Amino acid sequence: MQLYLYNTLAHKKEKFEPINPPFVGMYVCGPTVYNDVHLGNVRTFIAFDVIFRYLNHLGYKVRYVRNITDAGHLEDESDEDKISKRAKLERLEPMEIVQKYTVSFHEIMRIFNVLPPSIEPTATGHILEQQEMAMQILKNGWAYEVNGTVYFDVEKFAQQYNYTALTGRNLEELLNNTRELDGQDEKRGRLDFALWIKAKPQHLMQWNSPWGRGFPGWHIECSAMSTKYLGEEFDIHGGGMDLAPTHHTNEIAQNIAYCGKSPARYWLHTNMLTLNGKKMSKSLGNVVLPLELISGNNPLIPKGFSPAVIRFFMMQTHYRSTLDITLDALNAAEKGYYRLLESFSSLDNIVSSDTSDINLSELKQKCYNAMNDDFNTAVLVAELFEISKIINKAAEKQIKITAKDIEELKKLFQVFFYEILGIPPSEANNESWMKKIKTLVDILIDIRSEAKKNKNYILSDKIRNQMESVGILIKDTPEGTKWSIK
Ligand code: AMP
Ligand code: ZN
């Protein structure tokens, strides 16, 4: 069994061959904790959670590093840090903003059953490492300092290396599409980006550095932290597709400028979650927050869905395809989710035979084939639906199945649905069902009392006996009728 994955850097599907098996190093760009994560962000983190889960399932020992950006991420077209800006707006300490949104991010991850990474480093916790890396890049001649800010020299780098290797973009075109420098600019080239930024006195987050007080550029944090925890060369680097042209392109350039090595062998990129065909993003104002979708509290999708249904909905699309979120699609996913659950839970009631009409190892192999083909959860879900059709036939006694195969199918569902796709077990559902069942028992007891009052003992006995036959015992006491579970 061989795992293949689509490597953005190679622009094709490749065999997965870790540098040092069974160990696998994986780095994924985490959230900038200046506001609540939206469903688009959640899609990306769930996609990498599935990849993490599947690699673990295959027996790899994965060190999964997913950072928290708590400094240095500049607001587009401004020289202000997103967190500092938010702190000023909310009149809080920047670290209060960071704390608040890190806690809420973790809560959302827990609700969607996303496993915690092995290491979750923060930019503010690695200021020294970022300075040291910038220093080395300067020493190696790939950067220059102007007035307390250190810039990466992209045009010089591009003369020796393929700067746009990740996207395959044409450098000339890129240059032509980038704003021309004006007289105010300190940069030498229009594609140059900052490794370290001089802080204005009013900037809330700033540190001492060899170049005066300032703060790190955004891209350098991921280079510094991936190198620190996974080494100069590691296996997988991931993030949303929107990060490839700038953030990840610059990360690769920094790492090569730092030590001559491209950091990751395989670059994986998740495609965007869209709403009515438009990328979900704060700047477009079409954001749906996870808790809003769960409670049904957003006018864009005015119905609540359980975290399990939302995650299942996302699994029905391959991570490299865009996923358009609509009420209809969610409703369809919800139906499908319950159909699958029902079918697999009916395994408990199927009468087994001595022989089996199904080829279990073939079914299992199909599930593995789906995941081994670049983690294709969409195909896996389709296979699970095919299997559910077979189960339904067995339940209707159209085909035979052995007790062993019934157990194997239960295991298969457990492994692929819960452990690999990571669908949250529906505790909430169980609870609400328990409530409904209790109410039903009370209704039956009421009807029985009524029957007894009317001397309809045939009916009252029938109710008691039949309830007993499903394990609910009824006892008449001087304080009224009590019930218990056998
Ligand atoms: P940010 O906090 O903006 O840095 O984003 C965190 C992660 O979410 C990054 O990997 C982004 O690429 C990803 N992301 C942002 N918007 C979307 C979207 N609409 N769909 C999928 N992923 C997204
Ligand atoms: Zn990053």
Side-chain angles (χ1 to χ4, degrees):
M1 249 191 327
Q2 174 66 52
L3 170 63
Y4 284 82
L5 34 82
Y6 187 90
N7 184 1
T8 316
L9 189 57
H11 307 284
K12 61 174 195 240
K13 238 183 243 175
E14 289 187 334
K15 250 186 200 175
F16 179 57
E17 286 170 326
I19 297 167
N20 184 23
F23 301 99
V24 168
M26 176 161 91
Y27 188 94
V28 171
C29 295
T32 305
V33 281
Y34 73 114
N35 61 13
D36 287 313
V37 284
H38 59 66
L39 274 171
N41 306 131
V42 169
R43 182 198 188 191
T44 286
F45 298 125
I46 288 181
F48 283 103
D49 183 53
V50 173
I51 291 171
F52 180 42
R53 283 166 177 271
Y54 190 58
L55 292 171
N56 278 323
H57 174 78
L58 293 181
Y60 291 114
K61 308 238 170 300
V62 188
R63 179 179 291 167
Y64 176 20
V65 182
R66 191 188 65 210
N67 69 306
I68 295 273
T69 297
D70 60 352
H73 198 164
L74 295 185
E75 202 70 73
D76 289 342
E77 303 293 325
S78 93
D79 57 358
E80 203 165 15
D81 180 289
K82 291 187 181 195
I83 286 155
S84 297
K85 191 172 170 190
R86 187 72 186 220
K88 276 188 200 153
L89 214 69
E90 293 196 24
R91 294 175 178 243
L92 293 173
E93 273 293 317
M95 280 298 127
E96 276 179 292
I97 295 291
V98 165
Q99 178 74 13
K100 178 175 166 185
Y101 293 111
T102 303
V103 168
S104 80
F105 169 63
H106 286 156
E107 178 62 8
I108 297 299
M109 293 297 99
R110 192 191 59 74
I111 290 173
F112 286 101
N113 208 24
V114 173
L115 298 173
S118 330
I119 305 178
E120 196 171 45
T122 60
T124 54
H126 298 76
I127 297 294
L128 264 183
E129 287 83 349
Q130 295 174 77
Q131 290 184 0
E132 280 167 10
M133 187 171 256
M135 187 85 89
Q136 190 62 44
I137 294 173
L138 260 174
K139 258 195 210 149
N140 294 348
W142 300 107
Y144 56 92
E145 188 219 328
V146 184
N147 191 21
T149 294
V150 180
Y151 291 102
F152 190 93
D153 193 336
V154 172
E155 277 161 53
K156 179 174 175 191
F157 180 84
Q159 283 164 18
Q160 194 166 328
Y161 297 100
N162 182 5
Y163 173 67
T164 52
L166 194 58
T167 54
R169 280 191 184 177
N170 181 306
L171 190 68
E172 285 304 310
E173 245 171 61
L174 194 60
L175 271 168
N176 291 338
N177 291 336
T178 311
R179 183 182 63 87
E180 273 198 56
L181 296 180
D182 59 31
Q184 303 293 309
D185 265 300
E186 295 171 338
K187 291 197 282 191
R188 288 185 196 156
R190 36 183 133 161
L191 294 176
D192 295 359
F193 59 91
L195 301 176
W196 184 265
I197 302 160
K198 181 194 171 82
K200 299 200 175 101
Q202 69 272 22
H203 196 93
L204 291 178
M205 302 173 90
Q206 46 176 290
W207 292 265
N208 282 327
S209 83
W211 315 285
R213 289 186 71 78
F215 56 96
W218 173 34
H219 318 304
I220 193 85
E221 77 173 78
C222 290
S223 287
M225 297 193 285
S226 66
T227 306
K228 172 156 180 168
Y229 296 111
L230 300 173
E232 291 176 354
E233 283 179 301
F234 55 94
D235 300 296
I236 298 174
H237 194 310
M241 229 169 234
D242 55 334
L243 299 184
T246 312
H247 183 54
H248 290 163
T249 291
N250 290 344
E251 255 189 83
I252 294 174
Q254 287 169 157
N255 278 69
I256 294 175
Y258 168 70
C259 67
K261 293 173 189 156
S262 188
R265 276 199 183 182
Y266 306 95
W267 285 80
L268 307 188
H269 287 104
T270 52
N271 213 325
M272 295 294 110
L273 181 85
T274 58
L275 195 114
N276 296 321
K278 289 206 186 79
K279 176 187 168 183
M280 184 175 286
S281 84
K282 231 189 142 207
S283 52
L284 290 176
N286 64 349
V287 156
V288 177
L289 298 181
L291 292 181
E292 292 172 345
L293 186 57
I294 293 168
S295 62
N297 245 335
N298 187 307
L300 296 172
I301 299 184
K303 180 184 162 190
F305 292 92
S306 74
V309 168
I310 298 169
R311 184 158 173 150
F312 180 70
F313 161 72
M314 292 185 180
M315 293 297 104
Q316 286 182 296
T317 301
H318 186 221
Y319 76 89
R320 295 192 67 250
S321 306
T322 53
L323 168 59
D324 199 45
I325 190 164
T326 61
L327 185 57
D328 284 351
L330 281 161
N331 275 329
E334 188 173 49
K335 265 194 209 141
Y337 167 83
Y338 284 112
R339 236 176 43 228
L340 266 190
L341 280 195
E342 248 166 58
S343 163
F344 277 89
S345 64
S346 78
L347 282 167
D348 285 328
N349 308 322
I350 290 178
V351 184
S352 62
S353 312
D354 293 338
T355 56
S356 201
D357 291 327
I358 66 171
N359 183 342
L360 212 114
S361 59
E362 190 183 291
L363 297 179
K364 216 197 273 179
Q365 190 56 49
K366 281 184 176 169
C367 293
Y368 277 109
N369 289 348
M371 288 305 287
N372 284 335
D373 184 14
D374 195 26
F375 313 101
N376 200 327
T377 58
V379 174
L380 172 58
V381 170
E383 297 296 355
L384 292 177
F385 275 119
E386 285 304 312
I387 296 172
S388 79
K389 281 187 204 153
I390 296 173
I391 295 172
N392 296 348
K393 275 190 195 155
E396 286 158 17
K397 299 203 173 80
Q398 293 170 15
I399 58 171
K400 288 183 195 154
I401 185 167
T402 59
K404 183 171 164 282
D405 278 357
I406 291 176
E407 284 314 305
E408 288 283 323
L409 281 175
K410 283 188 199 168
K411 236 194 277 166
L412 180 147
F413 193 61
Q414 177 62 30
V415 167
F416 283 96
F417 195 73
Y418 290 112
E419 289 170 24
I420 293 173
L421 293 181
I423 305 297
S426 41
E427 288 158 44
N429 268 334
N430 286 346
E431 259 170 46
S432 79
W433 272 109
M434 274 314 290
K435 251 193 222 151
K436 285 184 185 138
I437 289 169
K438 280 181 186 160
T439 316
L440 271 178
V441 170
D442 289 334
I443 292 171
L444 281 171
I445 287 175
D446 229 45
I447 296 173
R448 177 173 168 270
S449 304
E450 200 88 3
K452 267 173 72 177
K453 235 191 257 162
N454 299 335
K455 303 202 167 24
N456 186 348
Y457 298 113
I458 295 174
L459 179 61
S460 70
D461 284 350
K462 184 177 173 188
I463 291 173
R464 193 184 49 201
N465 294 341
Q466 293 205 346
M467 286 180 78
E468 205 172 328
S469 73
V470 297
I472 296 169
L473 302 181
I474 288 183
K475 208 169 150 192
D476 294 307
T477 71
E479 296 88 48
T481 307
K482 299 260 150 86
W483 63 274
S484 59
I485 294 172
K486 194 157 55 179

